[in-house]
Amino acid sequence: MSGLTRRTALQRTGGLVLLLGAAELAHGATVLAVRIWPSDEYSRVTLESDQPLMAQHFVTTDPDRLVIDIQQIELSAALRELVGKVRPDDPYIAAVRVGQYQPHVVRLAIDLKQPVRPQQLTLNPVAAYQHRLVLDLYPMQAPDPLLALMREIEAGPNGSVAMPEAPDPLGTLIEEVDRPRISTAAPPPPPPVARATEPAPAHRAPAGGRSAPTSPATRMDRLIIIALDPGHGGEDPGAVGPSGLREKDVVLQVARQLRDAIDAQQGMRAFMTRDGDFFVPLHERVRKARRVQADLFISIHADAFFTPKARGASVFALSQGGATSATARWMARRENASDEVGGIAAAGSDRDLVHALLDLSTRAQIQDSLKLGSEVLRRIGNVGRLHKAQVEQAGFAVLKAPDIPSILVETAFISNPEEEAKLRDPAYQARLVTAIMGGVVRYFSRNPPLARRRSVT
């Protein structure tokens, strides 16, 4: 065969492979793992495979059921494992059945506990994952975090404490613009403040016989709400330490302890962006905090670096410009990649962050965030080693609420064996919580929350 004829034959063969494409290449795909992530907000079903999976789904009623037909695949032991992955406390999934519906078509029938609004995603290989087919089962009506928080407060011992009103974006912007500029002069020494998590310093009563307030909330007529954001979750494990400790697990433990410390403080209440092992997109974390009109936003993480020698805690605030160091820039890129690992629909992910473009508002937020970060960092330095002695700044997506002072706390380097062991230690976690709580109380003693969201009792 001449060279020209051989080249023509190869071109035709290549064209045939391209025409066969998805159907033939997907045929024989191997399912490597199956996972179900239940939560009150939504339940996620994930099929991980060595090749992309093609699927169609539809919903039936009476009974409520979600049916997924996966094309060009055979029933396997890995797929059958999905049946046993359903947890009794899953709010949406009652049971799963798997069968060979047609030649090269596997059908999943998911019996539902309530009607759902399914969303199907296909995710390309990233991090430790290969190809993933994802089904997210959302309730027909999305839960309202503010309403849920109000009900929780009403059911607790502080039920009579005033709650913020519903968000008013225009009013928020006006109030941020009217906020006094930050003075460069050194502020006068603040009065001593008794703290629930730190020993109260000895002090004399001021003139008139009045003592210092025991809580910053006593200077307001409403509840102070602090949004706690445990990083990663669900499909996104975050960093993993040398012995297998996962970032998503340890930061959730720390956040829960911090929530308890905040709730024990008179006039304060914590709100968790996630209180379980499920994935929350970055923009959704910000949206939740703004929906409950949080006064502060604290995102909790555990560093990782490509060398196990890196160590020390860090605190970050948002930067409108460049990062303050190469490390800060690297950390921001790593944390901002969470959406890619966890898996979200690409369209509209920044819709709720448009206010971050309001320069005056964001500038004021950054100044307040730096104040909060400095108070927290100083106290964390008494617990363990610091990676940097000052608050760093970078473009973390999760810190972009323009009207909420926001910091990201990297508690330690989980990639360092010694610091991984500390993060696993409940006593070390408790000391971290005490340090963060002390910084929060001190911040409010110097910066009382704005009265812009007074509520009606």
Side-chain angles (χ1 to χ4, degrees), residues 228 230 249-260 272 300-301 411 423 428-430 432-433 436:
L228 301 179
D249 296 329
V250 69
V251 299
L252 181 59
Q253 293 169 7
V254 172
R256 284 173 171 167
Q257 294 180 49
L258 183 55
R259 173 196 59 194
D260 294 343
M272 301 272 284
I300 303 173
H301 293 258
T411 52
L423 287 172
Y428 183 79
Q429 292 180 10
L432 276 174
V433 167
I436 297 172

Side-chain angles (χ1 to χ4, degrees), residues 33-189:
V34 294
R35 298 179 286 275
I36 298 180
W37 305 98
S39 74
D40 290 337
E41 298 186 21
Y42 73 104
S43 288
R44 168 169 286 193
V45 178
T46 302
L47 307 180
E48 186 178 356
S49 60
D50 62 347
Q51 298 180 43
L53 295 176
M54 298 177 296
Q56 295 177 327
H57 70 267
F58 60 91
V59 177
T60 66
T61 57
D62 197 23
D64 293 313
R65 184 173 294 143
L66 174 63
V67 179
I68 306 106
D69 288 335
I70 308 173
Q71 311 294 326
Q72 302 300 326
I73 197 170
E74 306 297 331
L75 187 60
S76 65
L79 278 168
R80 289 192 181 96
E81 289 181 5
L82 200 59
V83 175
K85 298 283 185 178
V86 180
R87 284 175 25 184
D89 60 346
D90 192 310
Y92 304 99
I93 301 176
V96 176
R97 287 170 287 125
V98 184
Q100 192 76 47
Y101 177 60
Q102 292 178 357
H104 312 314
V105 178
V106 170
R107 170 165 286 188
L108 306 182
I110 300 179
D111 297 325
L112 302 172
K113 294 180 178 178
Q114 60 176 289
V116 299
R117 187 170 43 84
Q119 183 179 47
Q120 180 176 317
L121 306 173
T122 54
L123 305 175
N124 293 323
V126 63
Y129 294 119
Q130 296 198 38
H131 297 275
R132 285 174 291 168
L133 174 67
V134 174
L135 272 298
D136 288 337
L137 282 57
Y138 292 97
M140 297 302 291
Q141 183 172 356
D144 185 336
L146 179 60
L147 181 60
L149 182 61
M150 291 177 66
R151 288 174 175 169
E152 181 183 340
I153 291 172
E154 289 172 356
N158 296 326
S160 60
V161 181
M163 279 291 297
E165 295 175 346
D168 177 6
L170 179 59
T172 296
L173 175 58
I174 293 172
E175 287 151 357
E176 292 290 349
V177 172
D178 288 342
R179 178 185 288 186
R181 288 188 173 275
I182 306 300
S183 172
T184 56

Side-chain angles (χ1 to χ4, degrees), residues 45 111 184 194 241 313 324 352 365 367 417 454:
V45 178
D111 297 325
T184 56
T324 51
D352 292 325
Q365 185 259 40
Q367 291 297 322
R454 298 178 186 272

Side-chain angles (χ1 to χ4, degrees), residues 232 300 329 341:
H232 309 281
I300 303 173
R329 184 164 51 251
V341 178

Side-chain angles (χ1 to χ4, degrees), residues 75-403:
L75 187 60
S76 65
L79 278 168
R80 289 192 181 96
E81 289 181 5
L82 200 59
V83 175
K85 298 283 185 178
V86 180
R87 284 175 25 184
D89 60 346
D90 192 310
Y92 304 99
I93 301 176
V96 176
R97 287 170 287 125
V98 184
Q100 192 76 47
Y101 177 60
Q102 292 178 357
H104 312 314
V105 178
V106 170
R107 170 165 286 188
L108 306 182
I110 300 179
D111 297 325
L112 302 172
K113 294 180 178 178
Q114 60 176 289
V116 299
R117 187 170 43 84
Q119 183 179 47
Q120 180 176 317
L121 306 173
T122 54
L123 305 175
N124 293 323
V126 63
Y129 294 119
Q130 296 198 38
H131 297 275
R132 285 174 291 168
L133 174 67
V134 174
L135 272 298
D136 288 337
L137 282 57
Y138 292 97
M140 297 302 291
Q141 183 172 356
D144 185 336
L146 179 60
L147 181 60
L149 182 61
M150 291 177 66
R151 288 174 175 169
E152 181 183 340
I153 291 172
E154 289 172 356
N158 296 326
S160 60
V161 181
M163 279 291 297
E165 295 175 346
D168 177 6
L170 179 59
T172 296
L173 175 58
I174 293 172
E175 287 151 357
E176 292 290 349
V177 172
D178 288 342
R179 178 185 288 186
R181 288 188 173 275
I182 306 300
S183 172
T184 56
V193 179
R195 293 173 290 239
T197 56
E198 295 185 5
H203 63 277
R204 295 180 181 178
R210 292 178 298 174
S211 60
T214 58
S215 168
T218 61
R219 299 154 75 173
M220 302 296 298
D221 61 356
R222 65 171 178 85
L223 197 65
I224 292 175
I225 298 176
I226 301 172
L228 301 179
D229 175 50
H232 309 281
E235 281 291 288
D236 177 17
V240 181
S243 72
L245 181 64
R246 299 181 300 187
E247 180 181 6
K248 68 172 183 177
D249 296 329
V250 69
V251 299
L252 181 59
Q253 293 169 7
V254 172
R256 284 173 171 167
Q257 294 180 49
L258 183 55
R259 173 196 59 194
D260 294 343
I262 292 170
D263 288 351
Q265 184 81 12
Q266 182 181 1
M268 288 189 182
R269 193 75 180 191
F271 168 78
M272 301 272 284
T273 60
R274 73 174 180 97
D275 192 17
D277 188 12
F278 61 97
F279 176 72
V280 183
L282 298 177
H283 75 280
E284 181 65 14
R285 297 168 189 260
V286 177
R287 189 196 70 84
K288 286 183 174 184
R290 297 197 74 237
R291 181 69 184 102
V292 301
Q293 289 282 274
D295 294 282
L296 297 181
F297 180 92
I298 302 175
S299 192
I300 303 173
H301 293 258
D303 271 345
F305 207 57
F306 55 81
T307 170
K309 295 181 180 179
R311 60 188 301 173
S314 305
V315 176
F316 295 87
L318 182 65
S319 171
Q320 284 183 292
T324 51
S325 71
T327 302
R329 184 164 51 251
W330 188 88
M331 290 294 180
R333 282 201 301 264
R334 173 182 169 271
E335 298 298 352
N336 290 349
S338 180
D339 280 352
E340 187 179 356
V341 178
I344 64 167
S349 61
D350 287 332
R351 184 172 58 235
D352 292 325
L353 299 183
V354 66
H355 288 291
L357 300 176
L358 300 175
D359 184 66
L360 287 175
S361 179
T362 304
R363 193 182 309 158
Q365 185 259 40
I366 290 174
Q367 291 297 322
D368 286 345
S369 300
L370 290 171
K371 291 180 180 180
L372 170 64
S374 296
E375 297 291 354
V376 171
L377 185 68
R378 183 161 61 88
R379 285 160 178 80
I380 289 181
N382 296 327
V383 176
R385 178 172 176 169
L386 294 178
H387 186 68
K388 284 290 181 67
Q390 67 278 343
V391 179
E392 295 206 77
Q393 293 177 260
F396 289 89
V398 79
L399 301 181
K400 290 186 177 179
D403 48 359

